[in-house]
Amino acid sequence: MTISSLSPYQTSTVLEQAFIHPARNLTKSRGKNIHRYTSVKMKNTISVESMLEFDACFHFDFNREVVRFCSQPIRFSYELEGKIHTYVPDFVAQFDCGEFVLYEVKANEFTSSELFKSEFEGKKTAAHQLLGIDLELIEEKTIRTRPLLGNLKRIHRYSSRTQLSDNQKRIIEILHKHGSQRVESLMARTGLTRQTILPIICDLLSRCVLQADLYIPLSKNTELGLAYA
């Protein structure tokens, strides 16, 4: 459905529907490689059209301020050089403050062209005028920042939603009692090896129980703290 100008209530309703009935249902077709991301946060599979969009999902999944997200959410029209075009953003995310934001994901080689800049400005203006919400660009260089993306993928690999193990409870107790600790300190206090403790820590990070600087590689030198002390 292509939408016209909406009230805040109508916008909220349309975006709510996007999580149930997105504008586009991506299925395999000739010439397209559909990728499926298993979301920890959403507890379902999210279909995307590129590996770059697939990698973007890790950022949405483990950003504690993002409550939920989905792909291909809504369709709306925008004007460019006197012509009307239709557009479906790559993602919508809702934040813990209640705010919705639309996102377009783009590879580095496309974002510097004047045509892209004109198109994106038209889309952004339409999103604001029709929906009253922001459309933001996420570039490849942001999505594939290293070692951040590698850390997020590692956290995803070891994430679970089972009950906390005794070792996880012990780590939480130590951090609650002694404050932030490096992984090697937690190893000494718990008697766990590096190979054993890092998957446990990754699972706690995926649950947003722990926090760490993910812009440096996860290692025995990583400092960990409780996300909500």
Side-chain angles (χ1 to χ4, degrees):
M1 178 181 67
T2 302
I3 60 176
S4 56
S5 183
L6 301 178
S7 69
Y9 173 78
Q10 290 172 319
T11 296
S12 178
T13 301
V14 166
L15 293 175
E16 286 291 338
Q17 282 295 111
F19 289 91
I20 305 170
H21 301 294
R24 296 175 62 207
N25 289 309
L26 299 179
T27 57
K28 287 186 178 180
S29 63
R30 185 176 300 174
K32 286 189 177 181
N33 293 316
I34 304 303
H35 304 273
R36 307 198 189 282
Y37 176 83
T38 303
S39 171
V40 176
K41 179 171 288 176
M42 298 303 298
K43 299 180 179 62
N44 64 16
T45 300
I46 295 174
S47 299
V48 295
E49 291 186 294
S50 70
M51 279 304 300
L52 186 58
E53 291 178 21
F54 182 87
D55 286 346
C57 289
F58 292 97
H59 293 266
F60 291 119
D61 225 6
F62 300 115
N63 181 338
R64 66 169 53 91
E65 294 179 352
V66 173
V67 176
R68 55 181 176 160
F69 69 101
C70 71
S71 66
Q72 308 294 311
I74 58 173
R75 180 181 286 106
F76 61 87
S77 298
Y78 70 97
E79 184 177 349
L80 179 66
E81 297 180 349
K83 295 182 179 179
I84 302 299
H85 304 265
T86 59
Y87 171 61
V88 178
D90 295 317
F91 294 98
V92 65
Q94 185 180 21
F95 290 81
D96 53 11
C97 63
E99 178 184 12
F100 288 95
V101 178
L102 298 170
Y103 291 96
E104 177 162 347
V105 170
K106 215 68 175 177
N108 294 337
E109 62 263 30
F110 298 111
T111 57
S112 59
S113 74
E114 291 305 316
L115 176 59
F116 172 79
K117 291 177 182 178
S118 297
E119 288 179 341
F120 187 73
E121 192 58 37
K123 296 169 184 175
K124 189 173 181 178
T125 299
H128 182 73
Q129 290 179 344
L130 299 177
L131 298 162
I133 62 175
D134 291 332
L135 169 67
E136 296 184 4
L137 173 66
I138 313 180
E139 297 183 63
E140 178 181 359
K141 60 186 178 184
T142 299
I143 293 169
R144 290 183 171 158
T145 297
R146 296 182 179 181
L148 174 61
L149 180 59
N151 284 336
L152 295 177
K153 288 185 175 183
R154 192 174 187 182
I155 289 168
H156 184 271
R157 186 186 315 134
Y158 292 111
S159 63
S160 73
R161 282 296 176 266
T162 59
Q163 290 186 341
L164 292 178
S165 68
D166 290 339
N167 283 328
Q168 288 175 320
K169 292 175 182 177
R170 175 63 176 147
I171 289 170
I172 293 170
E173 288 173 1
I174 291 169
L175 294 173
H176 183 74
K177 183 176 181 179
H178 300 284
S180 298
Q181 303 277 305
R182 289 167 62 178
V183 172
E184 63 179 357
S185 174
L186 291 171
M187 289 166 56
R189 290 179 182 275
T190 60
L192 297 173
T193 65
R194 179 181 179 277
Q195 290 76 14
T196 301
I197 200 170
L198 282 176
I200 292 171
I201 286 169
C202 284
D203 185 28
L204 289 172
L205 286 167
S206 80
R207 299 170 189 254
C208 295
V209 174
L210 302 185
Q211 59 184 358
D213 183 357
L214 298 179
Y215 286 89
I216 59 175
L218 283 171
S219 70
K220 66 179 183 179
N221 295 315
T222 299
E223 185 164 331
L224 298 164
L226 294 176
Y228 303 102

